[in-house]
């Protein structure tokens, strides 16, 4: 079993839809959870950063962490065509350890 | 946020040649940088951790003699792919630990990546 599992999609939604992206993980030592957005042939861009169970909201984005289930989610409200990209979940054990373990990424297309 | 610059963005080379990729932290000092490799439709795989002034730490399965990493200053790390072969063709991405604007906690910021194609 891989440490981080993420459905690669692709996921196609109409503009304005609510998008739900998910990852599961097996390593209970992971304490910090991130969501990155990556456009084609570009470096990942940090979207959300959380370290506790619960929800964190930033504009149209909401990150949700359930450590008991080892499950994290990213919700995108009122999705826009500009949100079309690959979304990667990432996590690490925290502290001074910045080594991230990534999911495969989910390719999202928002159709106008 | 913190800016990490990576060059070149794309390079095509002949089999057997060496290629150097640069990663610079533009507005902050980075004692630690990371190098990742990403194959098409695959996740980012950590290759090595680059520490300023000391030897890089390589992940299991990564050949340190093939992927030479030099972190000679607090703002620059280089990855040299020596004697490149077609199977080394991939998207290479660097990252550095820095602080976002107006924030006190450190996060990981990524360069824009380098697409290496070995003919």
């Amino acid at each position: 079993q891989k440490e981080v599992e993420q459905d690669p999609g692709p996921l196609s939604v109409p503009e304005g839809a609510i998008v739900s992206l998910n990852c599961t993980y097996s390593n209970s030592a992971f304490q910090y959870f991130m969501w990155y957005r990556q456009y084609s042939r570009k470096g990942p861009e940090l979207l959300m950063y959380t370290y506790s169970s619960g929800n964190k909201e930033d504009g149209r984005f909401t990150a949700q962490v359930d450590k008991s289930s080892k499950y994290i989610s990213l919700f995108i409200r009122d999705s826009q065509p500009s949100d079309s990209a690959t979304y990667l979940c990432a996590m690490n054990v925290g502290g001074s350890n910045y080594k991230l373990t990534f999911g495969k990424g989910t390719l999202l297309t928002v159709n106008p | 946020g913190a800016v990490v610059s990576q060059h070149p963005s794309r390079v095509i080379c002949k089999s057997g040649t060496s290629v150097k990729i640069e990663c610079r932290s533009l507005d902050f000092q980075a004692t630690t940088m990371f190098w990742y490799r990403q194959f098409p439709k695959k996740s980012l795989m950590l290759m090595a951790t680059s520490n300023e002034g000391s030897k890089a730490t390589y992940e299991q399965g990564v050949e340190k003699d093939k992927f030479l990493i030099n972190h000679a200053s607090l703002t620059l790390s280089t990855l040299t792919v020596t004697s490149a072969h077609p199977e080394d063709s991939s998207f290479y991405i660097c990252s550095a630990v820095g602080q976002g604007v107006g924030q006190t906690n450190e996060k990981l910021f990524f360069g824009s990546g380098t697409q290496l194609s070995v003919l």
Side-chain angles (χ1 to χ4, degrees), chain A residues 37-80:
Chain A
R37 177 173 60 195
Q38 185 179 25
Y39 293 109
S40 181
R41 288 297 166 247
K42 297 292 184 184
E45 171 194 8
L46 181 64
L47 282 178
M48 300 287 285
Y49 176 90
T50 57
Y51 56 86
S52 59
S53 286
N55 295 348
K56 181 178 181 179
E57 191 173 314
D58 184 359
R60 295 185 295 110
F61 298 91
T62 299
Q64 189 174 80
V65 174
D66 183 348
K67 288 186 177 180
S68 62
S69 300
K70 296 188 180 67
Y71 186 90
I72 67 172
S73 300
L74 177 70
F75 299 97
I76 306 175
R77 290 185 300 280
D78 187 26
S79 56
Q80 304 295 310

Side-chain angles (χ1 to χ4, degrees), chain B residues 8 11-13 17-21 79-84 114 116 118:
Chain B
V11 58
I12 301 172
C13 69
T17 60
S18 295
V19 174
K20 180 184 284 188
I21 303 169
L79 169 67
T80 301
V81 183
T82 62
S83 187
T114 298
L116 170 64
V118 184

